[in-house]
Amino acid sequence: MADERPAVGVRLAALASAHRTRGIAFDAMVFTNLSPEHLDYHPDMEDYFKSKRLLFTDYAEDSRTMGKQPRLIVNMDDPHGARLASELGDAAWSFSLGDAATARLKAESLVLDMDGVSASVMMDGGIKVLKLRTRLVAHFNAQNSLAAACTGLALGLRASAIERGVLSLTGVPGRLEKVPKDRKSTRL
């Protein structure tokens, strides 16, 4: 079984285009989404997609030459992610909160409420592999939590370790924090 020690993650948004990641041996690469927020680094969305794709093609190959077997994790709920997963084929560990029929991992019985997110995570057509639960709220936190779970599974972590890890996540102060208004309502 894989090492159960905590792992360090690196978030690389638009850095691939700057070639700042060359020479890093990655264990996993995660495509969460493609949104216009980084278009100040790219002339258009297609160029941005091609830059991100480099992580999953060229830089993944670099990692292989450095002795790693990088896992390629892709969110199929994002149209660019679905495209990337299609291009990567069987090399992709794809995931979906929605109806992406070909996703390797899917969230079922998804609940998004003021208490957080919960779902059953099913793998390869219906085998339940873990129960996803986090106190973080909102759809993007559900996607990010599923991405983390998918990455853990791809790296060989135990389901129980992934469940504990996701449940222990806390939010960034000031970002979607619950602020009680009165006994009947809460604001974010």
Side-chain angles (χ1 to χ4, degrees):
M1 184 53 62
D3 189 349
E4 295 288 330
R5 291 177 295 170
V8 175
V10 178
R11 184 173 187 264
L12 304 167
L15 298 181
S17 64
H19 304 290
R20 295 181 208 168
T21 58
R22 272 267 144 81
I24 297 174
F26 291 99
D27 290 312
M29 299 158 172
V30 181
F31 182 100
T32 53
N33 68 335
L34 202 67
S35 63
E37 64 199 25
H38 295 291
L39 285 181
D40 48 340
Y41 297 102
H42 304 278
D44 55 37
M45 292 296 282
E46 183 63 18
D47 182 75
Y48 184 22
F49 172 75
K50 288 177 180 177
S51 292
K52 269 200 174 184
R53 183 175 56 198
L54 286 175
L55 287 169
F56 296 85
T57 57
D58 298 25
Y59 296 10
E61 186 56 36
D62 289 351
S63 293
R64 287 184 200 95
T65 64
M66 291 182 261
K68 297 288 186 175
Q69 294 300 316
R71 305 320 189 275
L72 309 177
I73 317 302
V74 181
N75 177 8
M76 290 192 62
D77 293 335
D78 180 272
H80 291 93
R83 176 179 164 192
L84 180 62
S86 176
E87 291 177 12
L88 295 172
D90 291 339
W93 278 71
S94 55
F95 67 92
S96 174
L97 288 178
D99 298 323
T102 58
R104 189 165 186 187
L105 269 81
K106 291 184 186 180
E108 293 191 1
S109 304
L110 178 66
V111 175
L112 295 159
D113 60 26
M114 292 301 289
D115 293 322
V117 174
S118 66
S120 294
V121 178
M122 313 302 276
M123 186 169 179
D124 293 330
I127 302 165
K128 182 178 176 181
V129 290
L130 61 88
K131 179 71 175 173
L132 187 70
R133 176 79 182 103
T134 180
R135 292 178 192 95
L136 300 176
V137 297
H139 188 264
F140 74 91
N141 280 318
Q143 285 187 320
N144 290 342
S145 297
L146 186 56
C150 187
T151 303
L153 290 169
L155 291 171
L157 298 178
R158 290 187 185 120
S160 60
I162 295 167
E163 290 170 344
R164 284 191 313 273
V166 171
L167 184 58
S168 73
L169 295 172
T170 58
V172 176
R175 185 167 187 195
L176 283 180
E177 281 187 293
K178 295 178 188 174
V179 179
K181 181 180 175 199
D182 54 40
R183 290 184 188 199
K184 297 179 183 175
S185 63
T186 301
R187 293 178 189 225
L188 295 176

